[in-house]
Coordinates of all heavy atoms in Angstrom, one line a residue:
S73 N 0.8 -1.2 0.0 CA 0.0 0.0 0.0 C 0.9 1.2 0.0 O 2.1 1.2 -0.1 CB -1.0 0.0 1.2 OG -0.3 0.2 2.4
G74 N 0.3 2.4 0.2 CA 1.0 3.7 0.1 C 1.5 4.3 1.3 O 1.5 5.5 1.4
G75 N 2.0 3.5 2.3 CA 2.4 4.0 3.6 C 3.8 4.6 3.4 O 4.7 4.2 2.6
A76 N 4.1 5.7 4.2 CA 5.4 6.3 4.3 C 5.9 6.3 5.7 O 5.2 6.2 6.6 CB 5.3 7.8 3.8
R77 N 7.3 6.4 5.8 CA 8.0 6.4 7.0 C 7.7 5.2 7.9 O 7.4 5.3 9.1 CB 7.7 7.7 7.8 CG 8.1 9.0 7.0 CD 8.0 10.2 7.8 NE 8.2 11.4 7.0 CZ 9.3 11.8 6.6 NH1 10.4 11.2 6.8 NH2 9.4 12.9 5.8
T78 N 7.8 4.1 7.3 CA 7.5 2.8 8.0 C 8.9 2.1 8.3 O 9.8 2.2 7.5 CB 6.7 1.8 7.2 OG1 5.4 2.5 6.9 CG2 6.4 0.5 7.9
L79 N 9.0 1.6 9.5 CA 10.2 0.8 9.9 C 9.8 -0.6 10.2 O 8.9 -0.9 11.0 CB 10.9 1.4 11.1 CG 12.1 0.6 11.7 CD1 13.2 0.5 10.7 CD2 12.6 1.2 13.0
I80 N 10.4 -1.6 9.5 CA 10.2 -3.0 9.8 C 11.6 -3.6 10.2 O 12.6 -3.4 9.4 CB 9.7 -3.7 8.6 CG1 8.3 -3.2 8.2 CG2 9.6 -5.2 8.9 CD1 7.7 -3.7 7.0
T81 N 11.7 -4.3 11.3 CA 12.9 -4.9 11.7 C 12.7 -6.4 11.9 O 11.8 -6.9 12.6 CB 13.4 -4.3 13.1 OG1 13.5 -2.9 12.9 CG2 14.7 -4.9 13.5
I82 N 13.6 -7.2 11.2 CA 13.6 -8.6 11.3 C 14.9 -9.0 12.0 O 16.0 -8.7 11.5 CB 13.5 -9.2 9.9 CG1 12.3 -8.7 9.1 CG2 13.6 -10.8 10.0 CD1 12.4 -8.8 7.7
T83 N 14.8 -9.6 13.2 CA 15.9 -9.7 14.1 C 15.8 -11.0 14.9 O 14.8 -11.7 14.9 CB 16.1 -8.5 15.0 OG1 17.3 -8.5 15.7 CG2 14.9 -8.4 16.0
N84 N 16.9 -11.3 15.6 CA 17.0 -12.4 16.6 C 16.6 -13.7 16.0 O 15.9 -14.6 16.6 CB 16.1 -12.1 17.8 CG 16.5 -10.9 18.6 OD1 17.7 -10.7 18.7 ND2 15.6 -10.1 19.1
G85 N 17.1 -14.0 14.8 CA 16.9 -15.3 14.2 C 15.5 -15.5 13.5 O 15.2 -16.6 13.2
A86 N 14.8 -14.4 13.3 CA 13.5 -14.5 12.7 C 13.6 -14.9 11.2 O 14.7 -14.6 10.6 CB 12.7 -13.2 12.9
G87 N 12.6 -15.4 10.6 CA 12.6 -15.7 9.2 C 11.4 -15.2 8.5 O 10.3 -15.1 9.1
V88 N 11.6 -14.8 7.3 CA 10.5 -14.2 6.4 C 10.6 -15.0 5.1 O 11.7 -15.2 4.6 CB 10.7 -12.7 6.2 CG1 9.7 -12.2 5.2 CG2 10.6 -12.0 7.5
F89 N 9.4 -15.4 4.6 CA 9.3 -16.0 3.3 C 8.4 -15.2 2.4 O 7.2 -14.9 2.9 CB 8.8 -17.4 3.4 CG 8.7 -18.2 2.1 CD1 9.9 -18.8 1.6 CD2 7.6 -18.2 1.4 CE1 9.8 -19.4 0.3 CE2 7.5 -18.9 0.2 CZ 8.6 -19.5 -0.4
S90 N 8.8 -14.7 1.3 CA 7.9 -13.9 0.4 C 8.2 -14.3 -1.1 O 9.2 -14.8 -1.4 CB 8.2 -12.4 0.6 OG 9.6 -12.1 0.4
G91 N 7.2 -14.0 -1.9 CA 7.3 -14.2 -3.3 C 7.8 -13.0 -4.0 O 8.8 -13.0 -4.7
N92 N 7.0 -11.9 -4.0 CA 7.4 -10.6 -4.5 C 7.4 -9.6 -3.4 O 6.5 -9.5 -2.6 CB 6.3 -10.2 -5.6 CG 6.3 -11.1 -6.8 OD1 7.4 -11.3 -7.4 ND2 5.2 -11.7 -7.1
T93 N 8.5 -8.8 -3.4 CA 8.6 -7.8 -2.3 C 8.9 -6.5 -3.0 O 9.7 -6.4 -3.9 CB 9.8 -8.2 -1.4 OG1 9.5 -9.4 -0.8 CG2 9.9 -7.1 -0.3
T94 N 8.2 -5.4 -2.5 CA 8.5 -4.1 -3.0 C 8.5 -3.2 -1.7 O 7.5 -3.1 -1.0 CB 7.5 -3.6 -4.0 OG1 7.4 -4.5 -5.1 CG2 7.9 -2.2 -4.5
I95 N 9.6 -2.4 -1.5 CA 9.7 -1.4 -0.5 C 9.6 -0.1 -1.2 O 10.5 0.3 -1.9 CB 11.0 -1.6 0.3 CG1 11.1 -2.9 0.9 CG2 11.1 -0.5 1.4 CD1 12.5 -3.3 1.4
G96 N 8.5 0.6 -1.0 CA 8.3 1.9 -1.7 C 7.6 1.7 -3.0 O 8.1 2.2 -4.0
N97 N 6.4 1.1 -3.0 CA 5.7 0.8 -4.2 C 5.0 1.9 -4.8 O 4.9 2.0 -6.1 CB 4.8 -0.4 -4.0 CG 4.3 -1.0 -5.3 OD1 5.0 -1.2 -6.2 ND2 3.0 -1.2 -5.4
A98 N 4.4 2.8 -4.0 CA 3.6 3.9 -4.6 C 4.4 5.2 -4.5 O 5.4 5.3 -3.7 CB 2.3 4.0 -3.8
T99 N 4.0 6.2 -5.2 CA 4.7 7.5 -5.2 C 4.6 8.2 -3.8 O 5.5 8.9 -3.5 CB 4.1 8.5 -6.2 OG1 2.7 8.7 -6.0 CG2 4.4 8.0 -7.6
S100 N 3.7 7.8 -3.0 CA 3.6 8.4 -1.6 C 4.3 7.5 -0.6 O 4.3 7.8 0.6 CB 2.1 8.5 -1.2 OG 1.5 7.2 -1.3
S101 N 5.0 6.4 -1.1 CA 5.6 5.5 -0.2 C 7.1 5.8 0.0 O 8.0 5.0 -0.3 CB 5.5 4.1 -0.7 OG 4.1 3.7 -0.8
S102 N 7.4 6.9 0.5 CA 8.9 7.3 0.7 C 9.3 7.1 2.1 O 8.5 7.0 3.0 CB 9.1 8.8 0.2 OG 8.3 9.6 1.1
N103 N 10.6 7.1 2.3 CA 11.3 7.1 3.6 C 10.9 5.8 4.4 O 10.7 5.9 5.6 CB 11.0 8.4 4.4 CG 11.5 9.6 3.6 OD1 12.7 9.8 3.5 ND2 10.5 10.4 3.1
N104 N 10.8 4.7 3.8 CA 10.6 3.4 4.5 C 11.9 2.7 4.7 O 12.8 2.8 3.8 CB 9.6 2.6 3.7 CG 8.3 3.2 3.6 OD1 7.6 3.4 4.6 ND2 7.9 3.6 2.4
T105 N 12.0 2.0 5.8 CA 13.3 1.2 6.0 C 12.9 -0.2 6.5 O 12.1 -0.4 7.4 CB 14.1 1.9 7.1 OG1 14.4 3.2 6.7 CG2 15.4 1.1 7.3
V106 N 13.6 -1.2 5.9 CA 13.5 -2.6 6.4 C 14.9 -2.9 6.9 O 15.9 -2.8 6.1 CB 13.0 -3.5 5.3 CG1 13.1 -5.0 5.8 CG2 11.6 -3.2 4.9
V107 N 15.0 -3.4 8.1 CA 16.3 -3.8 8.7 C 16.2 -5.3 8.9 O 15.4 -5.8 9.6 CB 16.6 -3.1 10.0 CG1 17.9 -3.6 10.6 CG2 16.6 -1.6 9.8
L108 N 17.2 -6.0 8.3 CA 17.3 -7.5 8.5 C 18.7 -7.7 9.2 O 19.7 -7.3 8.7 CB 17.4 -8.2 7.1 CG 17.6 -9.7 7.1 CD1 16.5 -10.4 7.8 CD2 17.7 -10.2 5.6
T109 N 18.6 -8.1 10.5 CA 19.8 -8.1 11.3 C 19.9 -9.3 12.2 O 19.0 -9.9 12.5 CB 19.9 -6.8 12.1 OG1 21.2 -6.8 12.8 CG2 18.8 -6.7 13.1
D110 N 21.1 -9.7 12.5 CA 21.6 -10.7 13.4 C 21.7 -12.1 12.7 O 21.0 -12.5 11.9 CB 20.6 -10.8 14.6 CG 20.6 -9.6 15.4 OD1 21.6 -8.8 15.4 OD2 19.5 -9.3 16.1
T111 N 22.7 -12.8 13.2 CA 23.0 -14.2 12.7 C 21.7 -15.0 12.9 O 21.1 -14.9 14.0 CB 24.2 -14.8 13.5 OG1 25.3 -13.9 13.3 CG2 24.5 -16.2 13.1
G112 N 21.4 -15.8 11.9 CA 20.2 -16.6 12.0 C 19.0 -16.0 11.4 O 18.0 -16.7 11.1
S113 N 19.0 -14.7 11.2 CA 17.8 -14.0 10.6 C 17.9 -14.2 9.1 O 18.9 -13.9 8.5 CB 17.8 -12.5 11.0 OG 17.6 -12.4 12.4
V114 N 16.8 -14.7 8.5 CA 16.9 -15.0 7.1 C 15.6 -14.5 6.4 O 14.5 -14.7 7.0 CB 17.0 -16.5 6.9 CG1 16.9 -16.9 5.4 CG2 18.2 -17.1 7.5
W115 N 15.7 -13.9 5.2 CA 14.6 -13.6 4.4 C 14.8 -14.3 3.1 O 15.7 -14.0 2.4 CB 14.6 -12.1 4.2 CG 13.4 -11.5 3.5 CD1 12.5 -12.2 2.7 CD2 12.9 -10.2 3.6 NE1 11.5 -11.4 2.3 CE2 11.7 -10.1 2.8 CE3 13.4 -9.0 4.2 CZ2 11.0 -8.9 2.6 CZ3 12.7 -7.9 4.0 CH2 11.5 -7.8 3.2
I116 N 13.8 -15.2 2.8 CA 13.9 -15.9 1.5 C 12.8 -15.3 0.6 O 11.6 -15.3 1.0 CB 13.6 -17.4 1.8 CG1 14.7 -18.0 2.7 CG2 13.5 -18.1 0.4 CD1 14.4 -19.4 3.1
N117 N 13.2 -14.7 -0.5 CA 12.3 -14.1 -1.5 C 12.5 -14.9 -2.8 O 13.6 -15.1 -3.3 CB 12.7 -12.7 -1.7 CG 11.7 -11.9 -2.5 OD1 10.7 -11.5 -2.0 ND2 11.9 -11.8 -3.8
T118 N 11.3 -15.4 -3.3 CA 11.4 -16.3 -4.4 C 11.2 -15.7 -5.8 O 11.4 -16.3 -6.8 CB 10.3 -17.4 -4.3 OG1 9.0 -16.8 -4.3 CG2 10.6 -18.3 -3.0
N119 N 10.9 -14.4 -5.9 CA 10.7 -13.7 -7.1 C 11.3 -12.4 -7.2 O 12.5 -12.2 -6.8 CB 9.2 -13.7 -7.5 CG 8.9 -13.6 -9.0 OD1 9.8 -13.5 -9.8 ND2 7.7 -13.7 -9.4
S120 N 10.6 -11.3 -7.5 CA 11.2 -10.0 -7.6 C 11.3 -9.3 -6.2 O 10.6 -9.6 -5.3 CB 10.4 -9.1 -8.5 OG 9.1 -8.8 -8.0
F121 N 12.4 -8.5 -6.1 CA 12.6 -7.7 -4.9 C 13.0 -6.3 -5.3 O 14.1 -6.1 -5.9 CB 13.7 -8.4 -4.1 CG 13.8 -7.9 -2.7 CD1 13.3 -8.8 -1.7 CD2 14.2 -6.7 -2.3 CE1 13.4 -8.4 -0.3 CE2 14.3 -6.3 -1.0 CZ 13.8 -7.1 0.0
L122 N 12.2 -5.4 -5.1 CA 12.4 -4.0 -5.5 C 12.5 -3.0 -4.3 O 11.6 -3.1 -3.4 CB 11.3 -3.5 -6.4 CG 11.0 -4.4 -7.6 CD1 9.7 -3.9 -8.3 CD2 12.2 -4.3 -8.6
V123 N 13.4 -2.1 -4.3 CA 13.5 -1.1 -3.2 C 13.4 0.2 -3.9 O 14.2 0.6 -4.8 CB 14.8 -1.2 -2.5 CG1 14.9 -0.1 -1.4 CG2 15.0 -2.6 -1.8
G124 N 12.4 1.0 -3.5 CA 12.2 2.4 -4.1 C 11.6 2.3 -5.5 O 12.0 3.0 -6.4
N125 N 10.7 1.4 -5.7 CA 10.1 1.2 -7.0 C 9.5 2.4 -7.6 O 9.7 2.8 -8.8 CB 9.0 0.1 -7.0 CG 8.5 -0.3 -8.3 OD1 9.2 -0.5 -9.2 ND2 7.2 -0.4 -8.4
A126 N 8.7 3.2 -6.8 CA 8.0 4.4 -7.3 C 8.2 5.6 -6.4 O 7.5 6.6 -6.6 CB 6.5 4.1 -7.5
S127 N 9.1 5.5 -5.5 CA 9.3 6.6 -4.5 C 10.8 6.7 -4.1 O 11.5 5.8 -4.4 CB 8.4 6.5 -3.3 OG 8.6 5.2 -2.7
S128 N 11.1 7.7 -3.3 CA 12.5 7.9 -3.0 C 12.8 7.6 -1.5 O 11.9 7.5 -0.7 CB 12.9 9.3 -3.3 OG 12.1 10.2 -2.5
S129 N 14.1 7.5 -1.2 CA 14.5 7.4 0.2 C 14.1 6.2 0.9 O 13.8 6.2 2.1 CB 14.2 8.7 1.0 OG 14.8 9.8 0.4
N130 N 13.9 5.1 0.2 CA 13.6 3.8 0.8 C 14.9 3.0 1.0 O 15.8 3.1 0.2 CB 12.6 3.0 0.0 CG 11.2 3.7 -0.1 OD1 10.5 3.8 0.9 ND2 10.9 4.3 -1.2
Q131 N 15.0 2.2 2.1 CA 16.2 1.5 2.3 C 16.0 0.1 2.8 O 15.0 -0.2 3.4 CB 17.0 2.2 3.5 CG 17.3 3.6 3.3 CD 18.0 4.2 4.5 OE1 19.1 3.7 4.9 NE2 17.4 5.2 5.1
L132 N 16.9 -0.8 2.4 CA 17.0 -2.1 2.9 C 18.4 -2.2 3.5 O 19.4 -2.0 2.8 CB 16.9 -3.2 1.8 CG 17.2 -4.6 2.2 CD1 16.2 -5.1 3.3 CD2 17.2 -5.5 1.0
K133 N 18.5 -2.6 4.8 CA 19.7 -2.7 5.5 C 19.9 -4.2 6.0 O 19.0 -4.7 6.6 CB 19.8 -1.8 6.7 CG 19.7 -0.3 6.4 CD 19.7 0.5 7.7 CE 19.7 2.0 7.3 NZ 19.8 2.8 8.5
I134 N 21.0 -4.8 5.6 CA 21.3 -6.2 6.0 C 22.5 -6.1 6.8 O 23.6 -5.7 6.3 CB 21.5 -7.1 4.7 CG1 20.2 -7.0 3.8 CG2 21.8 -8.5 5.2 CD1 20.4 -7.7 2.5
L135 N 22.4 -6.5 8.1 CA 23.5 -6.3 9.1 C 23.8 -7.5 9.9 O 22.9 -8.4 10.0 CB 23.0 -5.1 10.0 CG 22.6 -3.8 9.4 CD1 21.9 -3.0 10.5 CD2 23.7 -3.1 8.8
N136 N 25.0 -7.6 10.4 CA 25.3 -8.6 11.4 C 25.1 -10.0 11.0 O 24.5 -10.8 11.7 CB 24.6 -8.3 12.8 CG 25.0 -6.9 13.3 OD1 26.1 -6.4 13.1 ND2 24.0 -6.3 13.9
N137 N 25.5 -10.4 9.8 CA 25.4 -11.7 9.3 C 24.0 -12.2 8.9 O 23.8 -13.4 8.8 CB 26.1 -12.7 10.2 CG 27.6 -12.4 10.4 OD1 28.3 -12.2 9.4 ND2 28.0 -12.3 11.6
A138 N 23.1 -11.4 8.8 CA 21.7 -11.8 8.4 C 21.8 -12.1 6.9 O 22.8 -11.7 6.2 CB 20.7 -10.7 8.6
I139 N 20.8 -12.9 6.4 CA 20.9 -13.3 5.0 C 19.6 -13.0 4.3 O 18.5 -13.3 4.7 CB 21.1 -14.9 5.0 CG1 22.5 -15.2 5.6 CG2 21.1 -15.4 3.5 CD1 22.7 -16.7 5.8
L140 N 19.7 -12.5 3.0 CA 18.6 -12.3 2.1 C 18.9 -13.2 0.9 O 20.0 -13.1 0.3 CB 18.4 -10.9 1.7 CG 17.5 -10.6 0.6 CD1 16.0 -10.9 1.0 CD2 17.5 -9.1 0.1
T141 N 18.0 -14.1 0.5 CA 18.2 -14.9 -0.7 C 17.0 -14.8 -1.6 O 15.9 -14.5 -1.2 CB 18.4 -16.4 -0.3 OG1 17.2 -16.9 0.3 CG2 19.6 -16.6 0.6

């Protein structure tokens, strides 16, 4: 949807499974951040992964040995 200034944190060994992912899909969806952090935290995405598709200042941060595949 068109939310702005959203923070999502995936941490402490959590896992996420997704097919298609977009951070910042609408023109009003700016300044969103997703943080994937800590050993054992994994995000498995099976198709497209877009950051800032239709808006600006969106971020994906992968820290401390987390994994995005």
Side-chain angles (χ1 to χ4, degrees):
S73 71
R77 300 190 189 283
T78 301
L79 171 64
I80 298 173
T81 302
I82 303 157
T83 188
N84 294 325
V88 174
F89 182 83
S90 57
N92 293 306
T93 300
T94 304
I95 302 167
N97 191 47
T99 56
S100 60
S101 301
S102 62
N103 300 294
N104 297 293
T105 302
V106 176
V107 179
L108 178 61
T109 186
D110 298 333
T111 299
S113 298
V114 177
W115 188 339
I116 299 170
N117 190 80
T118 61
N119 204 354
S120 67
F121 198 106
L122 304 171
V123 179
N125 185 48
S127 57
S128 62
S129 301
N130 294 289
Q131 300 178 60
L132 170 65
K133 298 179 180 182
I134 304 171
L135 309 168
N136 301 325
N137 298 312
I139 297 171
L140 171 65
T141 64

